[in-house]
Coordinates of all heavy atoms in Angstrom, one line a residue:
F1 N -156.0 -2.2 43.5 CA -155.8 -3.4 43.0 C -154.4 -3.8 42.8 O -154.1 -5.0 43.2 CB -156.6 -3.6 41.6 CG -156.6 -4.9 41.0 CD1 -157.4 -5.9 41.4 CD2 -155.5 -5.1 39.9 CE1 -157.2 -7.2 40.8 CE2 -155.5 -6.4 39.3 CZ -156.4 -7.4 39.7
L2 N -153.6 -3.0 42.3 CA -152.1 -3.4 42.0 C -151.5 -3.6 43.3 O -150.6 -4.4 43.5 CB -151.5 -2.3 41.2 CG -151.8 -2.0 39.8 CD1 -151.2 -0.8 39.1 CD2 -151.3 -3.3 39.0
V3 N -151.8 -2.8 44.4 CA -151.2 -2.9 45.7 C -151.4 -4.3 46.3 O -150.6 -5.1 46.9 CB -151.6 -1.9 46.6 CG1 -151.2 -2.1 48.0 CG2 -150.9 -0.5 46.2
V4 N -152.8 -4.7 46.1 CA -153.3 -6.0 46.7 C -152.6 -7.1 45.9 O -152.1 -8.1 46.6 CB -154.9 -6.1 46.6 CG1 -155.2 -7.5 46.8 CG2 -155.5 -5.0 47.3
V5 N -152.4 -7.0 44.6 CA -151.8 -8.1 43.8 C -150.4 -8.2 44.3 O -149.8 -9.3 44.5 CB -151.9 -7.8 42.3 CG1 -150.9 -8.7 41.6 CG2 -153.3 -7.9 41.8
M6 N -149.6 -7.0 44.5 CA -148.3 -7.2 44.9 C -148.0 -7.7 46.2 O -147.0 -8.5 46.5 CB -147.7 -5.8 44.9 CG -147.5 -5.2 43.4 SD -146.9 -3.4 43.4 CE -145.3 -3.7 44.0
M7 N -149.0 -7.5 47.2 CA -149.0 -8.0 48.4 C -149.1 -9.5 48.5 O -148.4 -10.3 49.1 CB -150.0 -7.4 49.4 CG -149.7 -5.8 49.8 SD -151.1 -5.2 50.7 CE -151.1 -6.1 52.2
V8 N -150.1 -10.0 47.6 CA -150.3 -11.4 47.5 C -149.1 -12.2 46.9 O -148.7 -13.2 47.5 CB -151.6 -11.7 46.6 CG1 -151.8 -13.1 46.4 CG2 -152.8 -11.2 47.3
M9 N -148.5 -11.5 45.9 CA -147.3 -12.1 45.3 C -146.1 -12.2 46.4 O -145.4 -13.2 46.4 CB -146.9 -11.3 44.1 CG -147.9 -11.5 42.9 SD -147.4 -10.4 41.5 CE -145.9 -11.3 41.0
S10 N -146.1 -11.1 47.2 CA -145.0 -11.1 48.2 C -145.3 -12.3 49.1 O -144.3 -12.9 49.6 CB -145.0 -9.8 48.9 OG -144.7 -8.8 48.0
V11 N -146.4 -12.4 49.7 CA -146.8 -13.6 50.6 C -146.4 -14.9 50.0 O -145.7 -15.7 50.6 CB -148.3 -13.5 51.0 CG1 -148.6 -14.7 51.7 CG2 -148.6 -12.3 51.8
F12 N -146.8 -15.1 48.7 CA -146.5 -16.3 48.0 C -144.9 -16.6 47.9 O -144.4 -17.7 48.0 CB -147.2 -16.5 46.6 CG -148.5 -16.9 46.7 CD1 -149.6 -16.0 46.4 CD2 -148.9 -18.2 47.1 CE1 -150.9 -16.6 46.5 CE2 -150.3 -18.7 47.1 CZ -151.2 -17.8 46.8
S13 N -144.2 -15.4 47.5 CA -142.8 -15.6 47.4 C -142.1 -15.9 48.7 O -141.3 -16.7 48.8 CB -142.3 -14.2 46.9 OG -141.0 -14.2 46.8
L14 N -142.7 -15.3 49.9 CA -142.1 -15.5 51.1 C -142.4 -17.0 51.5 O -141.5 -17.6 52.1 CB -142.8 -14.5 52.1 CG -142.2 -14.8 53.6 CD1 -140.8 -14.5 53.7 CD2 -143.0 -13.8 54.5
C15 N -143.5 -17.4 51.2 CA -143.8 -18.8 51.5 C -142.9 -19.8 50.7 O -142.5 -20.8 51.2 CB -145.3 -19.2 51.2 SG -146.5 -18.3 52.2
G16 N -142.8 -19.4 49.6 CA -141.8 -20.3 48.6 C -140.4 -20.3 49.2 O -139.8 -21.3 49.3
C17 N -139.9 -19.2 49.7 CA -138.7 -19.1 50.3 C -138.5 -19.9 51.5 O -137.7 -20.7 51.8 CB -138.2 -17.7 50.7 SG -137.8 -16.6 49.2
M18 N -139.6 -19.8 52.4 CA -139.7 -20.6 53.5 C -139.7 -22.1 53.3 O -139.0 -22.9 53.9 CB -141.0 -20.2 54.4 CG -140.9 -18.9 55.0 SD -142.4 -18.3 55.8 CE -142.4 -19.6 57.2
S19 N -140.5 -22.4 52.2 CA -140.5 -23.8 51.7 C -139.1 -24.3 51.4 O -138.7 -25.4 51.7 CB -141.5 -23.9 50.7 OG -141.5 -25.3 50.2
N20 N -138.5 -23.5 50.5 CA -137.2 -23.9 50.1 C -136.1 -24.0 51.1 O -135.3 -25.1 51.4 CB -136.5 -22.9 49.0 CG -137.3 -22.9 47.7 OD1 -137.9 -23.9 47.4 ND2 -137.3 -21.7 46.9
D21 N -136.2 -23.1 52.2 CA -135.3 -23.1 53.3 C -135.6 -24.4 54.2 O -134.7 -25.1 54.7 CB -135.5 -21.9 54.2 CG -134.9 -20.7 53.6 OD1 -134.1 -20.9 52.7 OD2 -135.3 -19.6 54.2
Q22 N -136.9 -24.7 54.2 CA -137.3 -25.9 55.0 C -136.8 -27.2 54.3 O -136.3 -28.1 54.9 CB -138.9 -25.9 55.2 CG -139.3 -27.1 56.1 CD -140.8 -26.9 56.4 OE1 -141.5 -26.2 55.7 NE2 -141.3 -27.8 57.2
D23 N -136.9 -27.1 53.0 CA -136.5 -28.3 52.3 C -135.0 -28.4 52.4 O -134.4 -29.6 52.6 CB -136.7 -28.2 50.7 CG -138.2 -28.3 50.4 OD1 -138.9 -28.9 51.3 OD2 -138.6 -27.8 49.3
S24 N -134.2 -27.3 52.5 CA -132.8 -27.3 52.5 C -132.4 -27.9 54.0 O -131.5 -28.6 54.1 CB -132.2 -26.0 52.3 OG -130.8 -25.9 52.7
N25 N -133.2 -27.4 55.0 CA -132.9 -27.8 56.3 C -133.2 -29.4 56.6 O -132.5 -30.0 57.1 CB -133.9 -27.1 57.4 CG -133.3 -25.6 57.5 OD1 -132.2 -25.3 57.4 ND2 -134.4 -24.7 57.9
N26 N -134.3 -29.8 55.8 CA -134.6 -31.2 55.9 C -133.4 -32.1 55.2 O -133.1 -33.1 55.7 CB -135.9 -31.5 55.1 CG -137.1 -31.0 55.9 OD1 -137.0 -30.9 57.1 ND2 -138.2 -30.8 55.2
E27 N -132.9 -31.5 54.1 CA -131.8 -32.2 53.5 C -130.7 -32.3 54.4 O -129.9 -33.3 54.6 CB -131.4 -31.6 52.2 CG -132.3 -31.7 51.0 CD -131.8 -31.1 49.7 OE1 -130.6 -30.7 49.8 OE2 -132.7 -30.9 48.9
T28 N -130.3 -31.1 55.1 CA -129.2 -31.1 55.9 C -129.4 -32.1 57.1 O -128.5 -32.8 57.6 CB -129.1 -29.7 56.7 OG1 -128.8 -28.9 55.5 CG2 -127.8 -29.7 57.6
N29 N -130.7 -32.1 57.7 CA -131.0 -32.9 58.8 C -130.9 -34.5 58.5 O -130.6 -35.3 59.3 CB -132.3 -32.5 59.4 CG -132.5 -31.3 60.1 OD1 -131.5 -30.8 60.5 ND2 -133.6 -30.7 60.1
N30 N -131.2 -34.7 57.1 CA -131.2 -36.1 56.6 C -129.8 -36.6 56.3 O -129.6 -37.7 55.9 CB -132.2 -36.3 55.6 CG -133.6 -36.2 56.0 OD1 -134.0 -36.4 57.1 ND2 -134.5 -35.7 55.0
K31 N -128.9 -35.6 56.2 CA -127.5 -36.0 55.7 C -126.9 -36.8 56.8 O -126.8 -36.4 58.0 CB -126.7 -34.7 55.4 CG -125.3 -35.0 54.8 CD -124.6 -33.7 54.4 CE -123.2 -34.1 53.9 NZ -122.5 -32.7 53.5

């Protein structure tokens, strides 16, 4: 159960980073 929870959290964290990077890229592109 703990392994599954950690894997899910990692996925969400990765998605969040990708989202932040994408937002940053969008800001750069819109500058």
Side-chain angles (χ1 to χ4, degrees):
F1 177 76
L2 288 173
V3 169
V4 171
V5 169
M6 290 176 66
M7 289 175 65
V8 171
M9 290 178 65
S10 297
V11 170
F12 276 111
S13 176
L14 180 60
C15 290
C17 290
M18 292 175 64
S19 177
N20 289 338
D21 288 344
Q22 188 173 6
D23 289 342
S24 176
N25 288 335
N26 287 338
E27 284 181 18
T28 301
N29 291 335
N30 291 332
K31 186 178 179 181

